[in-house]
Amino acid sequence: MDKNESKLMDEIMDKFNEINELRKEDELRKEILERVGEIHDLREKRKKFIAGKDRVHYAGRVYDENEMKALVDSSLDFWLTLGVKGKKFEEKLAELLGVRKSIVCNSGSSANLLAISALKSHLLDDPLKDGDEVITVASTFPTTLAPILQNNLIPVFVDVELGSYNIDVNEIERAISPKTRAIFFAHTLGNPADIVRIMEIAKRHNLYVIEDSCDALDSKYDGKMIGSFGDISTYSFYAAHHMTMGEGGAVATDNLRIARALRSFRDWGRDCYCETGEKDPLGACKNRFKHKFKNLPDGYDHKYVFSHIGYNLKPLDIQCAMGLEQLKKLPEFSRKRKENFNILYRVLNKYQDKIILPKWLEEADVSWFAFPITIKENAGFSRNEIIEFLEEKGIETRMIFGGNILRQPGFENIQKRVVGDLRNTDIILHNSFFVGVFPGITSEKMNYMIKCFEEFFEKIN
Ligand SMILES: Cc1ncc(COP(=O)(O)O)c(C=O)c1O
């Protein structure tokens, strides 16, 4: 064998060994994933519900071996930071919503912060500026409001409706001033607000609209996905939500400039918009060292050009690996949410003289986050009496978030404008609560919950 032949032989052997190692790795991975499936099955077998002893949670993770395998598989890749799974998740979510872009982030609160921050970006022709007003509601989750304040904007509060718990659209126009630039509201507990009317008002007054859809993934209005109407929509993938990544969130938009601003704020404020993990050293755009900025040296690495005062709000890739599995289950999750809601509605309908039942618009197809209830004034019992009864029986209850956020200690002294007396918001603060309808509520748990409600109403009669 001459020298060249021997070198070639060595190379072939190296390749051969590498292929063998990869094959071995594949076999090990397969074995690990099979074992993960076995762990899942063992846990499933142990699952049982003992009425009165085990809690009926208002929400929770619903998953099977596929999520567990996706998490382990992704952690074996050991990419860790946002990568291929994140990109795929963003594409799938945008496709589901019917918008051009979605940007994944680490929570629904971060999604809301990104949404408001992006509306102040220089990339927009007409960005918001300090002191501008944003119409919103006080019956809210705190981090729907917080980003307005954190961005030096002034919240203008209008009342909500009882039953739908959504922004009272009739109040919006009354609240508009020359400083008003945006409307930011949540589709409460998955129930679509009157979005077509809101968009019509926004168009007439040239206002941006942010739909906090953190509790409303897969709800529809007139067949169109909630979150696809406004300029930006936000989502939460915390364990209690329609689907979960443990913690996680996303922002979605049809506007490519807004999408670029959202991505920049999420990624430290950087100007470069090539995907992370891009293999080409010159960037996908090939222009990494070709940009010019006024006060920077020509061709300063675009990866290190910061055009926004941003954050780092990225999730991990393993979260997105799980998110991809959860997305596949979303239609079934929504079906079960609706089924549980309808069962509970039929039962509680009998007590309409004492409680306000949920209301929704005719055009709405609601994937309910939960079942909201408001105790009527002359019901003969208080909210605390019913929730203490239910909690003692093991049925979890929750407040409709902050009730009236303006009465919460952290928000008492914020700069604001209030339109009207927020009467319904205060009723929610004092008299409303919700119970769960999530897919983890099996018929066994639902029957028990119904029994407890009936027992309570018999007792107070
Ligand atoms: C309407 C609404 N917006 C925002 C959030 C915040 O989401 P996260 O908990 O993922 O930060 C929540 C949380 O439940 C919410 O209900």
Side-chain angles (χ1 to χ4, degrees):
M1 216 191 296
D2 69 18
K3 228 167 132 189
N4 277 347
E5 279 173 336
S6 141
K7 194 171 165 239
L8 190 65
M9 229 17 229
D10 285 349
E11 276 172 15
I12 290 171
M13 278 316 287
D14 282 352
K15 206 76 210 153
F16 181 76
N17 286 337
E18 194 188 324
I19 289 169
N20 260 347
E21 274 163 22
L22 286 174
R23 192 173 295 151
K24 177 79 187 149
E25 197 186 309
D26 271 355
E27 279 166 16
L28 284 172
R29 188 184 285 249
K30 216 168 137 224
E31 198 182 317
I32 290 168
L33 296 182
E34 273 169 19
R35 293 297 171 122
V36 168
E38 284 171 29
I39 290 178
H40 167 267
D41 294 347
L42 283 173
R43 285 189 191 166
E44 273 304 290
K45 268 197 220 144
R46 286 205 303 273
K47 261 193 197 165
K48 56 179 183 302
F49 172 67
I50 303 173
K53 179 170 174 281
D54 296 326
R55 294 186 74 67
V56 179
H57 296 293
Y58 84 95
R61 309 146 298 153
V62 179
Y63 62 98
D64 60 24
E65 73 269 26
N66 292 321
E67 280 82 352
M68 289 175 73
K69 285 181 183 173
L71 276 183
V72 173
D73 199 26
S74 175
S75 48
L76 287 174
D77 288 344
F78 220 70
W79 180 263
L80 302 182
T81 55
L82 200 54
V84 281
K85 299 291 181 191
K87 187 163 185 282
K88 186 100 188 271
F89 181 83
E90 289 181 340
E91 284 166 7
K92 290 270 174 206
L93 181 65
E95 194 184 308
L96 172 80
L97 297 171
V99 297
R100 275 194 271 192
K101 289 283 173 193
S102 99
I103 290 107
V104 68
C105 59
N106 62 1
S107 74
S109 305
S110 300
N112 283 344
L113 179 59
L114 287 171
I116 282 283
S117 303
L119 290 187
K120 289 189 90 183
S121 166
H122 61 273
L123 293 173
L124 274 61
D125 288 335
D126 199 9
L128 306 191
K129 49 185 194 325
D130 286 3
D132 281 346
E133 290 182 349
V134 180
I135 295 175
T136 190
V137 298
S139 170
T140 190
F141 196 82
T143 50
T144 311
L145 171 60
I148 300 175
L149 303 164
Q150 287 153 342
N151 275 281
N152 300 323
L153 300 163
I154 313 291
V156 177
F157 294 98
V158 298
D159 210 357
V160 293
E161 294 167 338
L162 291 177
S164 80
Y165 306 97
N166 277 322
I167 188 165
D168 183 343
V169 181
N170 297 319
E171 292 288 288
I172 295 179
E173 250 166 322
R174 207 152 79 85
I176 293 173
S177 84
K179 286 192 146 196
T180 309
R181 299 293 317 283
I183 312 172
F184 187 6
F185 63 93
H187 297 283
T188 308
L189 302 177
N191 190 12
D194 200 343
I195 187 66
V196 168
R197 272 181 72 205
I198 293 171
M199 292 311 297
E200 189 266 317
I201 295 170
K203 198 165 169 208
R204 201 147 22 86
H205 295 273
N206 198 21
L207 308 176
Y208 290 108
V209 173
I210 305 175
E211 294 174 76
D212 179 332
S213 309
C214 285
D215 302 334
L217 181 62
D218 208 27
S219 282
K220 299 174 189 81
Y221 183 95
D222 225 356
K224 193 167 157 8
M225 275 289 182
I226 280 306
S228 65
F229 290 83
D231 297 281
I232 308 179
S233 58
T234 62
Y235 301 87
S236 166
F237 306 125
Y238 176 64
H241 290 250
H242 283 63
M243 55 158 274
T244 186
M245 296 180 179
E247 298 277 0
V251 217
T253 182
D254 214 28
N255 179 318
L256 297 181
R257 274 207 235 176
I258 291 179
R260 200 176 140 193
L262 290 167
R263 194 174 289 277
S264 173
F265 276 107
R266 185 197 65 179
D267 300 352
W268 309 280
R270 83 166 163 204
D271 200 65
C272 166
Y273 39 88
C274 288
E275 297 294 339
T276 44
E278 170 58 44
K279 293 217 172 52
D280 190 329
L282 300 180
C285 61
K286 304 267 188 229
N287 289 329
R288 184 174 156 198
F289 300 105
K290 289 194 182 144
H291 291 272
K292 286 183 189 209
F293 291 89
K294 201 170 70 188
N295 296 324
L296 292 175
D298 279 1
Y300 197 76
D301 187 350
H302 201 204
K303 277 181 185 291
Y304 286 86
V305 174
F306 302 99
S307 51
H308 292 106
I309 300 174
Y311 309 92
N312 175 0
L313 301 175
K314 296 193 298 303
L316 300 175
D317 217 37
I318 48 174
Q319 289 169 272
C320 300
M322 175 170 174
L324 280 166
E325 290 304 319
Q326 289 268 290
L327 266 182
K328 293 181 198 161
K329 294 188 169 73
L330 197 58
E332 175 54 21
F333 284 168
S334 294
R335 190 200 62 74
K336 186 69 183 160
R337 282 179 179 276
K338 290 174 196 175
E339 181 182 281
N340 278 342
F341 179 90
N342 289 339
I343 294 171
L344 208 49
Y345 190 93
R346 275 196 298 273
V347 172
L348 295 179
N349 205 13
K350 288 183 280 193
Y351 310 111
Q352 283 216 39
D353 56 326
K354 298 190 168 32
I355 57 174
I356 299 175
L357 286 170
K359 294 187 186 102
W360 58 96
L361 295 166
E362 211 179 295
E363 298 83 353
D365 173 11
V366 195
S367 182
W368 290 95
F369 178 83
F371 195 103
I373 295 168
T374 298
I375 314 303
K376 286 188 174 168
E377 213 163 295
N378 301 318
F381 62 92
S382 69
R383 175 182 59 193
N384 272 23
E385 280 173 77
I386 187 166
I387 61 177
E388 273 173 33
F389 178 89
L390 292 171
E391 290 280 353
E392 272 168 21
K393 296 274 178 193
I395 314 282
E396 270 188 1
T397 64
R398 288 288 183 274
M399 298 289 117
I400 301 188
F401 309 128
N404 179 347
I405 198 89
L406 298 179
R407 301 197 189 277
Q408 292 281 353
F411 292 82
E412 274 167 12
N413 299 318
I414 60 170
Q415 217 189 330
K416 62 182 179 293
R417 191 155 67 78
V418 179
V419 177
D421 57 7
L422 308 188
R423 193 174 165 270
N424 291 341
T425 307
D426 272 330
I427 291 175
I428 293 168
L429 174 72
H430 290 280
N431 293 344
S432 304
F433 71 101
F434 64 78
V435 292
V437 293
F438 84 111
I441 300 184
T442 56
S443 49
E444 203 184 2
K445 292 180 188 175
M446 181 52 83
N447 288 340
Y448 174 67
M449 178 147 68
I450 290 167
K451 199 174 124 254
C452 293
F453 267 113
E454 291 190 323
E455 200 180 313
F456 177 82
F457 283 107
E458 264 168 41
K459 189 170 82 98
I460 54 125
N461 255 337

